[in-house]
Amino acid sequence: MSTQPHDAADAYKAAGVDIDAGNALVEAIKPLARSTARIGSDAGLGGFGALFDLKAAGYTDPILVSSTDGVGTKLMVAIAANRHDTVGIDLVAMSVNDLVVQGAEPLFFLDYFATGKLDVATGRAVVAGIAEGCRQAGCALIGGETAEMPGLYARHDYDLAGFAVGAVERDQVLTGAAIRPGDVVLGMASTGVHSNGFSLVRRVAETSGAAYDDPAPFEPGITLGEALLRPTRIYVRSVLPAVRDGSIRGLAHITGGGLVENIPRVLPQGLGVALDAAAWPLLPVFRWLAAAGKLSTGDLARTFNCGIGMVAVCPPDRAAEAERTLAAGGEAVYRIGTVTEAAGERVRIEGAEAAWAA
């Protein structure tokens, strides 16, 4: 009795992994990767690794800076709303904004996309967002990994991770060590919730009875899902000129932990900041979250960016110069406080109860 040889590709497909779909996605995203090419990299896909030429990029004595991050449970909102074109921007933003706070220019980016069942259209939409984020940051999308893992992820679920590498000349590394009492704290406006706190956001939406395809209760003309999925702002191009001209002593990317946890990460020991909550507008989405979720001002400040996505600390005699540079780069900039000596509480937000009242 004879048997026919088993087709391994068909067997793998029967087990839930479609190699042909993976190949189709790679072909679909090659033009997206090429659109991010920059000096030092050709942003081509298909090899086992990618090269980057630091000398061609103009560096003489560079320090490499790396960062990795994800998008968190914001992905669950994207999946529920069936909108996948912006979370890729979030993915890039979360890593490249962490590079620029150390004075580094993002050079290249790699992504990891894992799913239960690969849908080429969804995958392409996600990578299109990643490519857009790379273009905004000026870095090349040079590679990544797509993993189809039935049994680990539900059929339509997916997860993302991003990896960014940047460079800064050795004498321009930004550490915050030069920050002094009396320095001016500048805040750059966020676009919304960005990519942190979404476990709480989803709980508030659920308990309030709001569906993601309902009109946003705080913003006319768009759905709640569209408002919550507004992508994280990428601050790289606007911030780098101010870093390089020396008008900024420290930067903090306001991510998980909000204003309270992130600003101290750039301050020398013994220093804190006093912020004036009336100095910048609390975005309507945060007023809605506070009201619908019965959140205190402390909850807001420790969880969300509260309308400030990036903080810069400047010497008083150069703060106006930094403001002009950042504004010229497209940022809405506010003077939100000053650096103080602090033996205990390192971030004081004054007037929040009145300024952030729903």
Side-chain angles (χ1 to χ4, degrees):
M1 181 177 179
S2 64
T3 58
Q4 294 295 321
H6 192 67
D7 188 320
D10 288 345
Y12 208 11
K13 188 172 183 178
V17 178
D18 190 341
I19 294 174
D20 292 334
N23 291 336
L25 178 59
V26 171
E27 291 304 314
I29 65 179
K30 279 183 178 179
L32 299 173
R34 283 195 294 270
S35 74
T36 70
R38 53 152 294 155
I39 295 173
S41 172
D42 64 6
L45 299 182
F48 287 97
L51 306 177
F52 193 94
D53 187 341
L54 281 169
K55 187 175 181 180
Y59 287 89
T60 56
D61 188 19
I63 298 292
L64 291 180
V65 184
S66 60
S67 180
T68 183
D69 210 334
V71 183
T73 60
K74 187 174 187 176
L75 292 178
M76 298 180 72
V77 179
I79 292 166
N82 194 29
R83 179 168 179 174
H84 312 283
D85 56 338
T86 59
V87 289
I89 301 174
D90 289 299
L91 184 68
V92 176
M94 295 304 291
S95 283
V96 298
N97 285 342
D98 281 354
L99 295 184
V100 78
V101 299
Q102 294 181 277
E105 174 194 13
L107 300 176
F108 57 85
F109 188 86
L110 299 96
D111 68 274
Y112 175 77
F113 176 87
T115 183
K117 179 64 177 177
L118 182 58
D119 179 83
V120 175
T122 297
R124 189 190 184 284
V126 170
V127 179
I130 293 171
E132 172 58 23
C134 287
R135 288 191 293 269
Q136 290 183 23
C139 63
L141 175 59
I142 63 171
E145 170 69 5
T146 301
E148 194 173 24
M149 294 189 283
L152 184 59
Y153 295 95
R155 182 180 180 88
H156 297 294
D157 286 350
Y158 62 87
D159 197 9
L160 297 173
F163 311 87
V165 174
V168 56
E169 295 290 3
R170 190 178 301 271
D171 60 357
Q172 293 182 346
V173 176
L174 202 60
T175 66
I179 293 174
R180 299 288 182 267
D183 282 353
V184 175
V185 181
L186 302 178
M188 287 162 261
S190 69
T191 53
V193 185
H194 284 185
S195 299
N196 295 104
F198 268 86
S199 293
L200 180 54
V201 169
R202 291 184 300 106
R203 191 182 76 180
V204 170
E206 181 181 351
T207 57
S208 72
Y212 295 126
D213 57 357
D214 287 345
F218 51 86
E219 187 171 344
I222 64 172
T223 67
L224 177 61
E226 289 171 334
L228 294 177
L229 288 170
R230 186 168 284 128
T232 306
R233 184 163 181 81
I234 293 175
Y235 297 95
V236 170
R237 292 185 185 271
S238 56
V239 166
L240 276 176
V243 170
R244 288 169 174 167
D245 70 20
S247 61
I248 288 178
R249 284 178 168 168
L251 286 163
H253 181 203
I254 309 304
T255 55
L259 295 164
V260 171
E261 298 293 334
N262 284 287
I263 295 176
R265 295 169 65 181
V266 72
L267 300 175
Q269 285 298 316
L271 297 184
V273 294
L275 306 182
D276 177 6
W280 78 92
L282 185 71
L283 298 178
V285 62
F286 298 115
R287 294 187 186 278
W288 173 74
L289 286 167
K294 297 180 173 58
L295 306 180
S296 68
T297 55
D299 287 329
L300 288 179
R302 197 180 181 91
T303 308
F304 300 114
N305 65 62
C306 298
I308 297 295
M310 183 73 75
V311 163
V313 181
C314 311
D317 61 344
R318 301 200 65 182
E321 177 187 354
E323 282 184 278
R324 289 192 296 271
T325 301
L326 295 169
E331 303 302 337
V333 188
Y334 308 94
R335 290 200 180 205
I336 64 173
T338 57
V339 176
T340 62
E341 293 183 354
E345 186 180 21
R346 301 190 73 191
V347 177
R348 301 197 320 273
I349 304 179
E350 298 166 351
E353 292 293 341
W356 294 356

